Structure formats: structure tokens, C-alpha cells
């Protein structure tokens, strides 16, 4: 039986934290922004104001970069790899000990169902930290045999790239903040984190824990603020050595331009238009549930959401009917409601954007083959929607919507090259999902599809598996060895003997 009194106490505590005076965390201290300005935070489930956060700007970013540089050249540089590993593990333990608080803050600020925050977001953040805690002791160079004249001792070493600016999105605030912080610290870098202005709360709570578990001053800094102020200042600052960003392709382009000031290293995880390919031999019941969850989880606000469904004509009708039925039965409502299965989108602006795409699709000739009911009330709710009669020329098919809208299309050809060509007909290449019981077809399609991640018959994210995109879905990889090495530079050393 749930402990209602305990749950209410935890919620009251989360609301109290949200409503506190929040500063900027720079050099191990909480500071007021130089401008003295702040911005409001809201609960997407009912549109209510839940607090304010400090609006950092150029002067605050400069302080944070200086603090990060001092720590990089000071205590962090001399800390043994095993000590960095223990700090990361200790942080994972601390988040796990405060799991309910983090989940409640995530739901209050992002709107996602509380059980999703409890079952995925917080445990995933903990697992990412523990995975990356294994890397500080394993970032080695290698000895190299040279063929030139003379006798040489030659080898390579991996060194931290330096001061990192991490700019994270609002769709999974805690998970994304940790996904960038953990490998950067594992590699020996120092970091300035800039959370999305819509969802700063779990990042603020994370900063408190960073201080409590013993990270040296300046190793982790937090600057909340607007993208055009704090974010732009981080990208432009000459003291930042690397920018890692997750968000829209449009903003990614701006970051690339800004990074040319001092040729910053850049990792970009950008938009997606993931195809879901269902072959005629697929397990249809599993494919229906998988396709539905891929687009409706987190109200479709996932970069790798399966937003384009390609199903063989022999199973198309059954598949669409199944996904439409799934959408119709979804309980859409505030994330704090225990019966909610899909929460709101993050803001009124995002709601208007998603609804405008649905309207554009209908104007272009698509039709609604299934639609759930959005909760009534002041929250930012969008009905889960299945569109058929779509084609690759429509904006709903070509552009990232970032909402619970599935565009379903059929194919008649069994030729894998033709199927892959349809899946690849997009500016994006973040992921793809294939449903088939034919092992040969699965391997062949996986090779033909131009995407950074191909999942067959389900599966999800794992911190050991590199993640990133082809084409306009970004540069570089996060997670795995590649994700940690992205925060290092390789230095070659040759000594004449």
C-alpha cells in the first residue's frame, strides 16, 4: 500500500526546493547573477509557476570559466584517476539516496509521468555515473614502433581536452546533465553546465550534491539562464575548450559558428526523424507496442522517437489499428497523477508547435487514423496522434516535430535496398528501429540504414553503447569508450635514444 503521508511530505519538500532562491553555482559557492535578474519556472502539468531561477549572463559565464580553468590546472589535475572514480561513484550513491526527490523535481518541472522519472530518468542517471566511474583508470595511450632513422621511444597519451561547456535540453534534464558531466569528469576535464531554461531544477539539486560528496571547487559549475545569454556566452568564451550540446539542429548550427572563435572541440547530438520498419514476418503484437511506446513515451519529446512508421502492406492495416488503439487508451494527464501514462509537453510554445504540425499534415492530405484524448485543464496537453496518407514531401514527415505524432506509411517492395532508401530519405540519421524475425534481413538493413543507432526488435539506451547521428543529427558520439575519449586529446611523444 502506498504511504500517502510520506508521498505528500516528499512532494511538499520538492515544491519547497523549487520555490527557493536559487543562485549560480560557481567555484564551489552559490552566487547571485551579476545582473540580479531571474526567470520563472513552470509546471507543465497545470501551467502554474513553481519558482524562479537565476538568469546568468556573460559576466557570470566568465567567472565560471575562470573557476573551471583554475581547478583544471590545480587540484583536479593532481587527483589520481582512482580518486576521480570514487567521487563519481559517490555522486551516483547520493542521487540514488535522493531518488524520490529527483523524480518529483523532474516531474514538477518537465511534466513527465512520475513513474517514468522514477523508473528511467533517475536510475539511468545513476547507471551512467557508475559506468563512467570505471573509465578514469583506463584512459591509456600506447607505445608506437617508428620506422624512421634512429632509435626511438615513442608513445601516445590521452589528456583532458580542458574546460567543457555542456548545454543540455529540457526533455530529460537530469539524465542529459549527467550524461555529459560524468564522462567529462571521468576524462579529467572541468565543466560548466547550462541547463535548459525551462527545466533547471534537477540540475540545481545536482549541484548541491556535487558539493556534498566532495568534488573540489571549480570542477563543476552551474550557470542557469537563457540560451541567447548564458548559452551564447559559453560558446563564444575563449576559455572554453569544448562545447557539448544536445538540442535542435538549428541551434547546433549556431554553436558550430560560435565555436570557430577559438576552434573549440564540439560534440552535437541534434534532431532525429527515426524510421520504424516493420517487415511482414515481424511479431506484430510486439511491433505494435514497440512502435507506440517509441513515439508516445515522454509525449514524443525524444530525439530518437520513432516518428516515421514504414510497414509492409500485408501488416500495415493491423499495425496502424493496433497503434491507434494504443493511443486511444492512453491516460493523458499531469505527471503527478499516478494514473497518467503520458504527460504534457514542456511548454505552451511546444504545444502550439506540435498542434500546428498536425494541422499542416491534415491540410497536406493526411488523415487522423487514431487519436487519444488530451487532458482538459490548463496544462500543456497534446493528444497522441496517428496520421496516415502521409508522404515524404509533407512537413510532418520531413521535419522533427518533437511531439506524440506518428506518420504511418506502407511499402509493398520486399527489396531491402528500396526499403532502406525510404528510411534514408531524410536530412537526419540519428536512429532506426527494425522489426523482423529474419536474422539475415535484420543484419542487411542495419548496414544499409544511414543512422548512428539501429535497434532490432526493441532495445533501449545503455551507457556502454555509443550514441550519436549521421547527417544533420550531429557530430561525434556520446556513451561508451567513444563518449569518454571525446573529452580527451591525443598527444604523441617521441624520444631519440
Amino acid at each position: 500500500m502506498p504511504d500517502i503521508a510520506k508521498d505528500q511530505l516528499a512532494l511538499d519538500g520538492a515544491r519547497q526546493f523549487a520555490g527557493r532562491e536559487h543562485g549560480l553555482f560557481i567555484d564551489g559557492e552559490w552566487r547571485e547573477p551579476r545582473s540580479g535578474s531571474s526567470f520563472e519556472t513552470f509546471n507543465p502539468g497545470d501551467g502554474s509557476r513553481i519558482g524562479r531561477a537565476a538568469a546568468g549572463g556573460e559576466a557570470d559565464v566568465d567567472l565560471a570559466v575562470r573557476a573551471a580553468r583554475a581547478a583544471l590546472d590545480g587540484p583536479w589535475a593532481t587527483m589520481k584517476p582512482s580518486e576521480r572514480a570514487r567521487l563519481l561513484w559517490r555522486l551516483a550513491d547520493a542521487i540514488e539516496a535522493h531518488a524520490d526527490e529527483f523524480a518529483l523535481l523532474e516531474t514538477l518541472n518537465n511534466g513527465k509521468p512520475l513513474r517514468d522519472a522514477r523508473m528511467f530518468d533517475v536510475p539511468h542517471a545513476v547507471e551512467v555515473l557508475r559506468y563512467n566511474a570505471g573509465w578514469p583508470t583506463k584512459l591509456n595511450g600506447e607505445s608506437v614502433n617508428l620506422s624512421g632513422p634512429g632509435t626511438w621511444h615513442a608513445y601516445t597519451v590521452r589528456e583532458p581536452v580542458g574546460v567543457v561547456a555542456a548545454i543540455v535540453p529540457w526533455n530529460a534534464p537530469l539524465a542529459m546533465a549527467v550524461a555529459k558531466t560524468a564522462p567529462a569528469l571521468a576524462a579529467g576535464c572541468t565543466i560548466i553546465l547550462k541547463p535548459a531554461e525551462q527545466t533547471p531544477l534537477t540540475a540545481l539539486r545536482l549541484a548541491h550534491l556535487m558539493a556534498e560528496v566532495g568534488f573540489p571547487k571549480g570542477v563543476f559549475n552551474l550557470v542557469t539562464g537563457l540560451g541567447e545569454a548564458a548559452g551564447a556566452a559559453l560558446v563564444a568564451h575563449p576559455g572554453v575548450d569544448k562545447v557539448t550540446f544536445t538540442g535542435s539542429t538549428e541551434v547546433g548550427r549556431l554553436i558550430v559558428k560560435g565555436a570557430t572563435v577559438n576552434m573549440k572541440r564540439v560534440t552535437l547530438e541534434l534532431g532525429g526523424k527515426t524510421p520504424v520498419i516493420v517487415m511482414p514476418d515481424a511479431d506484430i503484437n510486439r511491433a505494435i507496442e514497440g512502435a507506440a511506446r517509441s513515439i508516445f513515451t515522454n509525449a514524443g519529446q525524444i530525439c530518437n522517437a520513432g516518428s516515421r512508421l514504414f510497414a509492409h502492406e500485408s501488416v500495415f492495416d493491423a499495425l496502424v489499428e493496433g497503434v491507434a488503439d494504443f493511443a486511444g487508451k492512453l491516460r493523458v494527464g499531469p505527471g503527478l497523477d499516478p494514473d497518467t501514462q503520458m504527460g504534457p509537453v514542456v511548454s505552451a510554445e511546444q504545444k502550439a508547435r506540435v498542434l500546428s504540425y498536425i494541422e499542416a499534415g491534415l491540410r497536406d492530405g493526411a488523415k487522423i487514423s487514431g487519436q487519444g484524448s488530451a487532458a482538459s485543464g490548463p496544462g500543456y496537453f497534446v493528444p497522441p496522434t496517428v496520421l496516415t496518407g502521409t508522404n515524404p514531401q509533407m512537413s510532418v514527415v520531413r521535419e522533427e516535430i518533437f511531439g506524440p505524432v506518428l506518420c504511418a506509411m506502407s511499402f509493398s517492395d520486399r527489396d531491402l535496398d528500396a526499403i532502406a532508401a525510404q528510411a534514408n530519405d531524410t536530412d537526419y540519421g540519428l536512429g532506426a528501429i527494425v522489426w523482423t524475425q529474419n536474422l539475415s534481413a535484420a543484419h542487411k538493413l542495419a548496414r544499409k540504414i544511414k543512422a548512428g543507432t539501429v535497434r532490432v526488435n526493441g532495445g533501449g539506451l545503455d551507457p556502454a553503447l555509443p550514441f550519436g547521428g549521421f547527417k544533420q543529427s550531429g557530430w561525434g558520439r556520446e556513451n561508451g569508450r567513444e563518449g569518454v575519449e571525446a573529452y580527451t586529446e591525443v598527444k604523441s611523444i617521441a624520444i631519440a635514444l
Side-chain angles (χ1 to χ4, degrees), residues 259-270:
T260 59
V261 173
N262 65 332
M263 299 304 290
K264 291 176 176 64
R265 304 302 186 250
V266 177
T267 296
L268 302 171
E269 198 266 278
L270 305 175

Side-chain angles (χ1 to χ4, degrees), residues 146 151-155 493-497:
L146 304 185
T151 303
W152 297 86
H153 173 49
Y155 60 97
I493 300 169
I495 302 173
L497 302 180

Side-chain angles (χ1 to χ4, degrees), residues 160-406:
V161 71
V163 174
V164 173
I167 304 173
V168 299
W170 42 256
N171 61 324
L174 176 64
M176 293 307 309
V178 169
K180 296 186 183 297
T181 299
L185 298 183
C189 299
T190 54
I191 193 166
I192 303 107
L193 175 67
K194 209 295 281 185
E197 52 263 37
Q198 295 89 344
T199 54
L201 292 183
T202 47
L204 287 162
R205 189 66 186 94
L206 179 66
H208 285 277
L209 288 190
M210 297 289 291
E212 290 174 20
V213 301
F215 281 89
K217 293 181 178 181
V219 169
F220 175 89
N221 305 274
L222 176 68
V223 177
T224 54
L226 305 183
E228 58 266 29
L234 279 167
V235 173
H237 200 292
V240 171
D241 300 298
K242 177 182 173 73
V243 175
T244 175
F245 168 77
T246 296
S248 70
T249 298
E250 292 75 16
V251 175
R253 291 191 184 98
L254 296 176
I255 287 174
V256 169
K257 291 178 182 178
T260 59
V261 173
N262 65 332
M263 299 304 290
K264 291 176 176 64
R265 304 302 186 250
V266 177
T267 296
L268 302 171
E269 198 266 278
L270 305 175
K273 201 69 181 175
T274 295
V276 180
I277 301 169
V278 183
M279 301 296 286
D281 65 336
D283 182 328
I284 295 302
N285 290 329
R286 288 186 62 201
I288 287 170
E289 182 175 0
R293 292 191 184 281
S294 179
I295 188 61
F296 300 140
T297 296
N298 205 27
Q301 299 170 124
I302 300 173
C303 54
N304 206 19
S307 55
R308 293 183 299 145
L309 175 64
F310 297 96
H312 189 269
E313 60 184 8
S314 64
V315 297
F316 180 79
D317 290 342
L319 199 71
V320 169
E321 183 180 346
V323 176
D325 184 62
F326 190 104
K329 292 178 180 178
L330 274 178
R331 293 288 297 271
V332 181
L336 292 172
D337 184 334
D339 294 326
T340 290
Q341 295 171 298
M342 191 184 93
V345 295
V346 76
S347 65
E349 293 78 10
Q350 186 64 12
K351 176 181 177 179
R353 170 187 167 87
V354 176
L355 292 177
S356 72
Y357 269 106
I358 296 173
E359 292 166 2
L362 296 177
R363 286 197 304 271
D364 290 342
K367 67 175 184 177
I368 294 176
S369 291
Q371 191 170 54
S373 56
S376 59
Y380 314 131
F381 300 104
V382 174
T385 302
V386 179
L387 296 177
T388 55
T390 58
N391 63 65
Q393 285 69 51
M394 294 180 178
S395 62
V396 286
V397 176
R398 299 212 66 82
E399 299 173 19
E400 185 178 43
I401 300 173
F402 224 58
V405 182
L406 178 66

Side-chain angles (χ1 to χ4, degrees), residues 277 415-425 445 448-450:
I277 301 169
D415 179 72
L416 298 183
D417 287 327
I419 296 167
Q422 290 185 66
N424 292 333
D425 185 16
L445 274 173
K448 295 175 185 295
I449 294 170
K450 303 299 182 184

